[in-house]
Amino acid sequence: MTDGLFEKPIKITEKYLQFYSAAQLRDFAERFCPPEEKFEFAFAEPVKSGAGEVYIPEGMLLNETRLENLDKFDAHNPKYRIRISSELLTMIAQTLRRVLLPYLQGRKADFMQILFSDIPGSSFAGIIQNALYNRLNNEKRMLTLWLLKIYEQDRDAFHHHARFSMYALSVAFVIQRRGSFTHRFCFQGGLVADINGVNTPLLEEPLFDRPASLKMDYAFRASEAAEKLGLDLIVVSGLRDHLNPPEDGAAEAAAPTPASFLDDEDDDEDEDVEDPEDAAEAEAQGRGAESPQSPGAIKKTGRAVQAILQITRFIMDAEKKKLDPELQLKNLIAGLAYYCERGALPAHYANPILAKCRSYGPVIRK
């Protein structure tokens, strides 16, 4: 949905996308289908032309001519449903990737600019694409559909999730320029770290210094959501542990079930991208493997993901204080150094980040 144009947002379920007018469907097609490519939409239900007659049968591909003439059948079709297909999911993931990449550019006096200053943007495109959906990674369809829902129905929440994920990806790149899965896992963890904070005060309030019980519960619910979205166990455990979780796991029994990620299905009811991290990854996915690493490497990756999400959480919290941008940036860098010195943040992983803040050396030393 383009904000303000349509009365109802697009309904997004695991089986279909539902539109409430031909104009809304056409708007979606224009935004999500590149001009040089043909539509890959197939109707999940027949389109009626009046008196019960079928204008477009179920399963037929939508083409530009039919889309242009569809408005005159709105009176006979209160909704239009298109199937969730591999082609459609690929196109959605590609569009979301294009939407996410500009977040790396940051703003004036933005910590993102420091992290991203010497990293080529092209390094991120394949990682984001493969972290969402591609033809070799079908199990991530739920993550892509959930992100599409947020993008279409709540742009403010999407902005928050996007910024968290791109910070996590940037931090991962500063700490480890190459690694077969670390970057992807950090991006995915950043996307869903605040999935249960939407429409609550917690999305706008710093969490780092909050009571341990609150952080334990919040982190566990994020990890539970990640698991339901089909993410790797490394991401699940990294999220669970990134806010100082309980040692005895007591919070697990008390944690509420996350809200549904997609809309209820009841009525009101391309080309694959090669991940530049590791050429062997695509081959492993083709074999159906999720993490082609040794147990030792998996453990190391898990520690890195947890530490990077913890550092990213601290950065996101620091930005919630709404200070003057330059002062906020100085406080963030000084706070990062301070908490590393105290042992509250993993200094081994944060030191490469602090090394990029050389111009703020006096602030760090103070």
Side-chain angles (χ1 to χ4, degrees):
M1 180 186 73
T2 301
D3 291 346
L5 285 184
F6 305 106
E7 184 177 349
K8 293 182 180 180
I10 299 168
K11 174 180 282 190
I12 298 165
T13 77
E14 196 169 356
K15 296 180 180 178
Y16 58 79
L17 304 183
Q18 180 167 299
F19 305 85
Y20 297 95
S21 68
Q24 189 179 41
L25 174 52
R26 186 163 51 248
D27 172 74
F28 179 85
E30 291 172 352
R31 290 186 292 119
F32 281 82
C33 186
E36 67 278 5
E37 296 185 13
K38 295 182 179 180
F39 296 133
E40 293 286 357
F41 304 155
F43 283 99
E45 292 182 349
V47 175
K48 303 294 181 60
S49 60
E53 296 179 0
V54 174
Y55 172 61
I56 304 175
E58 175 185 349
M60 179 170 287
L61 288 177
L62 175 65
N63 59 35
E64 294 185 44
T65 302
R66 290 196 180 98
L67 186 57
E68 291 173 357
N69 296 324
L70 206 58
D71 297 79
K72 61 184 179 183
F73 300 110
D74 277 359
H76 309 294
N77 298 275
K79 60 183 181 294
Y80 300 96
R81 289 178 175 175
I82 60 174
R83 290 177 178 173
I84 301 295
S85 64
S86 175
E87 292 78 15
L88 178 59
L89 281 167
T90 300
M91 188 172 64
I92 290 170
Q94 290 171 343
T95 300
L96 292 174
R97 179 196 67 199
R98 290 194 294 270
V99 172
L100 287 164
L101 282 173
Y103 280 85
L104 291 168
Q105 298 170 3
R107 304 177 293 245
K108 183 180 180 181
D110 195 330
F111 196 58
M112 185 82 76
Q113 290 182 331
I114 295 176
L115 296 177
F116 186 59
S117 59
D118 61 346
I119 302 174
S122 58
S123 301
F124 292 89
I127 297 169
I128 294 172
Q129 178 78 23
N130 286 312
L132 296 173
Y133 178 86
N134 62 53
R135 290 182 175 91
L136 297 176
N137 203 16
N138 187 53
E139 70 276 9
K140 299 303 179 290
R141 59 183 286 134
M142 281 292 290
L143 179 68
T144 300
L145 288 172
W146 164 76
L147 189 59
L148 173 66
K149 178 184 176 182
I150 298 297
Y151 180 67
E152 291 295 307
Q153 299 181 4
D154 191 340
R155 290 292 172 85
D156 289 340
F158 178 86
H159 173 76
H160 179 89
H161 292 306
R163 192 158 174 80
F164 202 128
S165 66
M166 299 311 277
Y167 254 134
L169 186 52
S170 296
V171 170
F173 252 93
V174 172
I175 293 171
Q176 185 179 12
R177 286 300 175 93
R178 291 188 62 83
S180 61
F181 287 91
T182 302
H183 301 141
R184 174 188 296 192
F185 290 159
C186 289
F187 170 79
Q188 291 172 333
L191 271 182
V192 303
D194 279 328
I195 192 170
N196 290 290
V198 176
N199 298 322
T200 75
L202 292 176
L203 203 65
E204 302 297 329
E205 299 173 1
L207 287 169
F208 195 76
D209 292 322
R210 298 293 290 272
S213 59
L214 183 149
K215 294 192 294 184
M216 287 155 35
D217 176 72
Y218 192 84
F220 175 77
R221 287 187 287 129
S223 70
E224 186 182 52
E227 186 172 14
K228 291 188 174 183
L229 287 172
L231 299 184
D232 191 279
L233 289 178
I234 289 177
V235 182
V236 174
S237 62
L239 284 167
R240 185 185 62 239
D241 297 340
H242 88 287
L243 279 172
N244 300 322
E247 295 182 0
D248 58 6
E252 296 192 14
T257 301
S260 175
F261 303 118
L262 303 181
D263 294 320
D264 191 342
E265 289 186 358
D266 291 336
D267 191 20
D268 305 7
E269 81 119 73
D270 147 319
E271 178 182 350
D272 295 330
V273 178
E274 183 178 358
D275 192 329
E277 292 180 275
D278 192 336
E281 182 176 341
E283 179 184 353
Q285 287 181 342
R287 296 194 303 267
E290 180 65 14
S291 299
Q293 306 178 70
S294 67
I298 291 174
K299 186 175 181 180
K300 182 178 179 181
T301 300
R303 286 198 302 267
V305 170
Q306 176 188 342
I308 289 166
L309 290 176
Q310 189 175 16
I311 293 168
T312 306
R313 170 69 67 185
F314 179 83
I315 295 170
M316 290 291 292
D317 277 4
E319 290 195 344
K320 293 177 181 178
K321 296 179 180 178
K322 309 297 183 185
L323 302 174
D324 170 79
E326 186 67 29
L327 177 60
Q328 180 169 279
L329 180 58
K330 290 180 179 179
N331 286 351
L332 193 164
I333 295 170
L336 187 62
Y338 172 72
Y339 279 107
C340 286
E341 183 70 21
R342 284 184 55 191
L345 285 172
H348 172 71
Y349 291 93
N351 284 336
I353 297 173
L354 292 172
K356 295 199 73 171
C357 305
R358 294 184 184 90
S359 61
Y360 290 87
V363 176
I364 296 173
R365 286 192 293 272
K366 181 178 178 181

